[in-house]
Amino acid sequence: MQSELNKVVTALREFYAHETYLLEKDLGERALTHRLAVTVEGQFPGWQVDCNYDRLGERTLRLPHGTIISTDDHLGKSIYPDIVVHQREIPNNLLAIELRKESNHQPVEHDQHKLQALTDPHLWFAYRIGVLVILEKKAVSSSEVYAGGTIDPVLSGFLSRQLKDAGLRAGEGTA
């Protein structure tokens, strides 16, 4: 999974290098998500990269009733992940990314619960890894990695170190 995380770091480096206008003008998360997805796509040849993808094979992506996350809308408050790296037809789900701006005042727990659910192997065709990335204008303010339905402290630490080494961690001489 470290290989996939290194590709995410490379995509974030490209994103920050090429999308300063969007970041400086404080555009919305959906615009940022799309542009990050474009850079992620270049890192994963042979995989499809989609934003707000709401299918598992032929089925609509839904969580069991009674779970924390709403799944009954298409208004951005659902389980649909911001960015996914997958093979649509199989389905073979590699990576789910949730992107947030540091200025987002909605509870971060919503995105954390989504990644827990999306990587939970007991629910459906789980993603092997999930990444939460919180963006500031010049760097990533924080990140988390999820695997097996929980936050993975070892992989989270790895991603944090890789972001720091790439000069992409806020407070590390980039802000």
Side-chain angles (χ1 to χ4, degrees):
M1 290 190 210
Q2 290 179 351
S3 173
E4 287 81 9
L5 293 175
N6 282 329
K7 291 177 181 184
V8 171
V9 170
T10 299
L12 283 164
R13 185 182 311 119
E14 290 178 26
F15 171 79
Y16 273 105
H18 299 299
E19 303 302 342
T20 54
Y21 178 87
L22 299 178
L23 293 158
E24 291 298 323
K25 298 298 181 187
D26 199 28
L27 268 78
E29 286 181 12
R30 289 182 185 191
L32 298 174
T33 296
H34 167 71
R35 296 309 306 162
L36 179 59
V38 169
T39 63
V40 167
E41 190 169 43
Q43 296 301 311
F44 291 91
W47 295 86
Q48 284 95 36
V49 176
D50 291 304
C51 293
N52 295 314
Y53 194 76
D54 68 347
R55 295 286 189 266
L56 288 168
E58 297 296 320
R59 298 180 308 147
T60 300
L61 179 61
R62 297 194 190 281
L63 286 177
H65 292 293
T67 57
I68 282 180
I69 307 299
S70 168
T71 62
D72 57 358
D73 66 61
H74 285 272
L75 302 175
K77 296 181 179 179
S78 63
I79 187 63
Y80 316 134
D82 290 337
I83 302 169
V84 294
V85 178
H86 61 159
Q87 294 170 324
R88 296 179 194 124
E89 298 83 16
I90 297 175
N92 185 15
N93 298 322
L94 178 63
L95 171 67
I97 300 173
E98 285 297 311
L99 180 139
R100 291 176 61 90
K101 289 173 36 178
E102 180 67 35
S103 61
N104 184 334
H105 297 294
Q106 298 299 318
V108 70
E109 291 81 13
H110 180 77
D111 291 323
Q112 291 168 327
H113 289 298
K114 280 171 55 172
L115 288 168
Q116 288 170 354
L118 288 164
T119 62
D120 185 343
H122 299 104
L123 291 182
W124 17 257
F125 302 105
Y127 288 83
R128 285 183 237 159
I129 191 169
V131 176
L132 173 63
V133 179
I134 302 177
L135 304 178
E136 290 184 354
K137 289 184 179 181
K138 297 185 187 244
V140 174
S141 65
S142 68
S143 60
E144 297 174 342
V145 178
Y146 292 78
T150 63
I151 190 166
D152 187 309
V154 173
L155 290 174
S156 293
F158 174 81
L159 178 58
S160 182
R161 286 187 302 280
Q162 295 304 101
L163 290 167
K164 180 181 177 184
D165 291 347
L168 294 173
R169 285 295 295 195
E172 302 293 339
T174 59

